[in-house]
Amino acid sequence: MANRKWVIAAILALATTVTGCRSDTPPAAAAAHANAVADTGGSRKGDFGPPQGEPIEAILTSPPEVPPPTGRDYPAKVIVNLEVVEKDMPIAEGVNYTFWTFGGTVPGSFIRVRQGDTVEFHLHNHPDSKMPHNIDLHGVTGPGGGASSTFTAPGHSSQFTFKALNQGLYVYHCATAPVGMHVANGMYGLILVEPPEGLPPVDKEFYVMQGDFYTTTKYREKGYAPFDMQRAIDENATYVLFNGAETALTGDNALRASVGETVRLYVGNGGPNLVSSFHVIGEIFDKVWYEGGTRYQENVQTTLIPAGGAMIADFHLEVPGSYVLVDHSIFRAFNKGALGILTVDGPENLAIYSGKEVDSVYLGDKVASLASVQTAADSAASGTLTLDEQIAAGKSLYTGTCSVCHQDNGAGLPGVFPPVASSDWVKSHSHEELIKVVLNGLTGPVKVNGEDYNSVMPPMSQLTDDEIANILTYVLNSWDNGGGQVQRDKVEQIRASTPRAEGAAH
Ligand SMILES: [Cu+2]
């Protein structure tokens, strides 16, 4: 039966090629024609015979880099050598996490092959590893996707071979028990199986992968952040990140391109739990190969990337400035780290966009350089935190946190937000009262420098103890506010002894 359907489809396809798609073609035949032409044939048409030429060692790249196109028009034998490394790396400014990685990075090395290639896969597990690991590649046809062939103890290597029958962008991940924990620790990456004719050429290609992370500590709590199995089971992520760190794609690590270029993003979602609503603020995807498959959709704002899935997006750049990659489940972007920046240089085009650059009111401290926060965290850890370091860290954190209302210069907005610059309120209240304002917010009438305000400051208790200590130390030592130093321990003590305000975190 299946064979007969094929023959009919082929005859229809032939007939329509000869006669052309005339308007009198019956609709059913036209649909069959469209499908016959567009259908890649899947795995049944993905075997282009035995590998030709010398074996090729695959070029593997670390995120956000993508290996160059294979540029081949024949099937080859491609050798992949991938090493598992367990290592401590920053997950946020001043916060370290023990990641388990494919190739030393999160996500793991990007692998690029061509449909029909025979891939000889070598998985090495570094001798310093504490855990066994393996790999399940979604681009593999065969039970387990390689997992059972690659179970590898520390200091060992294993090998298996597969033919890449289906084109597409595929996730790979570790599948060693407890699987969720291995994935949560960063064990995922992407393998691109190019269609035989390659993908349309573009100017810049980037590799981005989202993942959710679970720690016993709070978001941005300084020091070492241990994995929290219960939070992972509850799907209650502490961090949701692109490329394994809050700063992986911000500040000096922002992606870079120019006006006039076409950018292609290969975006995967490692999970382990959360589905991504992937969006770039200020851009529209000209094309999205949704789910990493063969067809593309055009003119897309936000695309869903399932956990264990991927997609390819192309867009052309018309206007310079900062474009912001987010998971549009938006608390993840602004409160869990799922935010990256694409910086585009080149000439303005006022006919297309007359507005100003996206600023700190929108992005908060995500645009500020947080290097001073790292310095303060390091010093605090070694017990050498100085007043100047606290002020510098507090300045970065004040930007986009307090400055949204009180303004960068502390002057506030007349009648709406009171000044914190040269504020007689700040000068006449104790450190304890200042800490309580930040933790619990402030409502009701207040008089600042002779002006009456009766508004609402929301609780800012999502800030950690060191963040509050540093911000207040910055405020006290700026704008003639009389100086002083707020200690982290003092904030901790007041947080513990203060009833939590309605709507406040923790
Ligand atoms: Cu593993």
Side-chain angles (χ1 to χ4, degrees):
M1 275 313 282
N3 274 341
R4 227 172 97 189
K5 263 193 211 150
W6 259 109
V7 172
I8 294 170
I11 291 170
L12 277 172
L14 253 179
T16 42
T17 335
V18 173
T19 58
C21 261
R22 293 205 320 267
S23 54
D24 57 356
T25 311
H33 166 70
N35 281 328
V37 168
D39 193 339
T40 62
S43 56
R44 283 166 306 167
K45 288 202 179 171
D47 190 342
F48 308 138
Q52 299 168 27
E54 287 296 304
I56 296 165
E57 175 90 26
I59 300 169
L60 304 184
T61 57
S62 299
E65 307 298 329
V66 177
T70 64
R72 267 185 289 110
D73 59 1
Y74 60 90
K77 178 174 174 178
V78 180
I79 297 165
V80 175
N81 276 291
L82 192 57
E83 185 180 46
V84 173
V85 186
E86 301 170 0
K87 63 199 264 202
D88 286 9
M89 293 188 285
I91 192 167
E93 216 67 67
V95 188
N96 268 313
Y97 185 83
T98 304
F99 293 92
W100 300 347
T101 74
F102 286 109
T105 55
V106 176
S109 309
F110 196 108
I111 307 166
R112 187 169 192 156
V113 300
R114 178 178 178 273
Q115 188 180 14
D117 281 349
T118 296
V119 182
E120 186 184 291
F121 206 98
H122 299 257
L123 189 70
H124 311 282
N125 191 358
H126 195 278
D128 292 346
S129 292
K130 297 192 173 62
M131 297 284 157
H133 300 283
N134 65 5
I135 192 165
D136 166 357
L137 299 115
H138 292 181
V140 168
T141 304
S148 53
S149 322
T150 53
F151 183 84
T152 313
H156 288 70
S157 297
S158 52
Q159 176 188 341
F160 80 112
T161 300
F162 69 96
K163 191 167 273 190
L165 294 178
N166 293 77
Q167 54 180 270
L169 182 62
Y170 297 98
V171 167
Y172 66 77
H173 62 90
C174 183
T176 303
V179 177
M181 181 179 180
H182 284 250
V183 174
N185 284 340
M187 298 201 75
Y188 43 76
L190 291 179
I191 175 168
L192 173 65
V193 182
E194 291 178 350
E197 69 282 6
L199 286 164
V202 290
D203 300 297
K204 293 263 163 68
E205 296 190 316
F206 297 112
Y207 172 23
V208 176
M209 212 159 166
Q210 183 170 322
D212 27 301
F213 295 86
Y214 303 83
T215 66
T216 59
T217 52
K218 280 189 296 221
Y219 172 65
R220 287 186 170 181
E221 188 173 328
K222 302 295 174 277
Y224 180 74
F227 172 70
D228 188 331
M229 188 69 170
Q230 192 56 49
R231 281 189 78 156
I233 293 168
D234 295 344
E235 306 192 9
N236 176 19
T238 321
Y239 293 90
V240 181
L241 302 171
F242 296 129
N243 291 1
E246 199 177 12
T247 52
L249 299 177
T250 57
D252 291 343
N253 299 327
L255 305 176
R256 293 192 178 275
S258 301
V259 165
E261 290 185 326
T262 298
V263 166
R264 174 170 298 152
L265 301 178
Y266 297 94
V267 188
N269 185 4
N273 290 319
L274 303 179
V275 167
S276 175
S277 300
F278 188 78
H279 175 79
V280 176
I281 300 174
E283 260 300 342
I284 296 150
F285 303 132
D286 296 328
K287 290 180 184 167
V288 173
W289 284 264
Y290 45 95
E291 294 165 7
T294 311
R295 311 257 188 282
Y296 58 78
Q297 169 68 291
E298 292 181 276
N299 308 312
V300 174
Q301 59 192 308
T302 300
T303 190
L304 268 180
I305 315 177
M311 69 90 193
I312 305 171
D314 282 8
F315 50 98
H316 184 256
L317 298 168
E318 277 81 16
V319 185
S322 301
Y323 295 86
V324 189
L325 287 59
V326 294
D327 181 339
H328 215 294
S329 289
I330 210 72
F331 269 103
R332 299 179 189 167
F334 292 104
N335 301 79
K336 297 187 174 201
L339 188 147
I341 295 186
L342 168 67
T343 305
V344 176
D345 58 24
E348 294 285 354
N349 187 337
L350 297 180
I352 290 178
Y353 186 68
S354 69
K356 66 169 184 162
E357 168 72 322
V358 56
D359 62 13
S360 64
V361 171
Y362 197 167
L363 289 182
D365 62 9
K366 311 283 176 179
V367 286
S369 162
L370 294 176
S372 55
V373 175
Q374 174 79 55
T375 309
D378 291 345
S379 297
S382 61
T384 59
L385 183 63
T386 66
L387 180 66
D388 284 345
E389 284 170 341
Q390 263 196 291
I391 293 172
K395 184 174 188 198
S396 299
L397 293 164
Y398 175 94
T399 304
T401 309
C402 319
S403 71
V404 175
C405 299
H406 295 290
Q407 305 300 297
D408 274 328
N409 63 3
L413 281 182
V416 190
F417 303 122
V420 289
S422 313
S423 157
D424 58 6
W425 197 99
V426 171
K427 276 181 271 194
S428 62
H429 285 73
S430 66
H431 288 185
E432 181 164 341
E433 285 163 310
L434 285 170
I435 293 167
K436 281 183 178 164
V437 167
V438 178
L439 281 175
N440 299 326
L442 193 63
T443 53
V446 281
K447 204 187 241 326
V448 184
N449 297 350
E451 297 286 328
D452 288 316
Y453 296 85
N454 191 350
S455 186
V456 177
M457 172 169 155
M460 312 280 293
S461 52
Q462 80 283 1
L463 297 167
T464 61
D465 297 337
D466 5 26
E467 286 173 331
I468 293 175
N470 295 345
I471 289 173
L472 287 175
T473 302
Y474 166 66
V475 169
L476 286 169
N477 288 279
S478 307
W479 312 302
D480 190 24
N481 273 338
Q485 187 166 17
V486 178
Q487 308 290 348
R488 179 198 178 284
D489 294 355
K490 178 106 181 164
V491 181
E492 187 179 13
Q493 177 202 328
I494 291 168
R495 195 196 293 265
S497 64
T498 315
R500 185 197 300 194
E502 209 178 311
H506 313 303

